[in-house]
Amino acid sequence: MSTTHLGMPGLPPPAHPAFPPFPEAAHDAVRDERLRGNLRHATTTIRAKRAHAVAELEDWRRLREAGKRIKDHTLRHLDRYLVQLEDAVTAAGGTVHWALDAAEANRIVTDLVKATGEHEVVKVKSMATQEIGLNEALEAAGIRAYETDLAELIVQLGKDRPSHILVPAIHRNRGEIRDIFRTQMAAWGRPAPDDLSDTPAELAEAARLHLREKFLRAKVGISGANFMVAETGTLVVVESEGNGRMCLTLPDTLISVVGIEKILPTWRDLEVFLQTLPRSSTAERMNPYTSMWTGTTDGDGPRDFHLVLLDNGRTDTLADDVGRQALRCIRCSACLNVCPVYERAGGHAYGSVYPGPIGAILSPQLRGTHSDIDASLPYASSLCGACYDVCPVAIDIPEVLVHLRERVVQGGEVTREGNKVVLKPARGHGGERAAMRAARWAFSHPAVLRGGQRLASRTRRLHPRTLPGPGRAWTGTRDLPEAPAEPFRDWWQRTHGGEEDDK
């Protein structure tokens, strides 16, 4: 079987979408009462169900630690396990392709579809293909991609963007979905009934009938994967609707686009994640559909199987000792459902296929922090730590957020496209850097610090509620803390007879 290799020259990467910085996008989103209502209802419901499902397992903490260790071990030895996976997939009759970036992955998939002579494909939800803009690349080549996940179908018909990892149409209510089906379904295939209501059963039935003709007609399927097993070359997709099973078994050709971090060393490692993923995502004890396939088999399933292993910034992320833990992510979306920022701003404000806390640390690493949106994402958090508490693989998201904020403000050495480069500090942070240098000097000189505290206390009635100049960026969303009437050290000396105690 032919194999292309990581590092081959590809086409130029697609242009970065002109998304506004997070504060600007969130400023508009938080004023959309219907959006906030949809998000509040959905995340509250999912959050409560997940807590109940997790509480059923007495060994949840041990499972969480096991998942973390398996992922960390795999990332440390990723080169070895990827080669093992390639050998196993090839031995089972599949073909492995290595894509350095989005452009190369899109070219590979487009060429594979063209080789079949087909002009349409069915897709099972894949964040990797959304990350690289595969649908748009296929459309440019005259190939139409049909999303078959219900929520992805809603997003596609509505000419929208996903706003949640697990529930991409979480920002839509039933009335909006009914209207989208009524007005848009006919342009993509079987139309919705004229008398379609907004009851879940009728909406699901309209989607089922619309998609069934596509499943039965399509000759090419495109998927992602939740996990890949290096030991056997097996790919795994977990889902709740059965559309994945149809995409993975009915077409003659199956193309799977998967990030290189989705690999696990052994079949036994799946035991941990098939317990933690469903409980963390859908609050179920197990997924209704868990599909596994290994290469090809005569007379059963697709005749041709292609695996496209996607880098697209992942090895650069791996080079960061702190940031690499983001690659543990199993896309459960638990962090989104507990995040107070996401609940109010929604997923579109993050300007990425990966919204919420995990998107705030993953996107700036995969794409770099040179754009306004990616430089702003590490600040899209209150650092409350709720995301870390619920993460099933113990990603310390607050730690990575602070790490990336330092990178934005200070610049420094990072790895981009496999090369060490030195980033310049981002624009607009000069005042912050000056303030931090001044604070460091003051804290290093106790007499200066004490004098400054006393001056602040004595002039506190004159203090403004907001800061001028660059300080507006900080006080634009919060009040300036009120200075106390007396510094703590002065109070301590006065109340303890002049004695100081540093303990």
Side-chain angles (χ1 to χ4, degrees), residues 202-214:
E202 287 196 28
L203 293 173
E205 178 65 6
R208 187 186 73 83
L209 294 174
H210 177 81
L211 291 171
R212 182 55 59 98
E213 66 176 17
K214 292 179 171 52

Side-chain angles (χ1 to χ4, degrees), residues 141 225 236 274 294 340 355 368 372:
V236 183
L274 292 183
T294 307
D372 290 340

Side-chain angles (χ1 to χ4, degrees), residues 314-347:
R314 285 159 175 80
T315 53
D316 291 340
T317 304
L318 188 63
D320 188 322
D321 290 341
V322 176
R324 70 171 58 159
Q325 58 185 300
L327 297 178
R328 292 186 207 144
C329 179
I330 58 175
R331 310 293 192 267
C332 71
S333 77
C335 61
L336 280 71
N337 300 323
V338 299
C339 178
V341 176
Y342 174 85
E343 183 179 308
R344 288 155 180 81

Side-chain angles (χ1 to χ4, degrees), residues 20 47 91 147 170 236 297:
R47 187 164 62 235
E147 297 289 350
I170 195 173
V236 183
T297 301

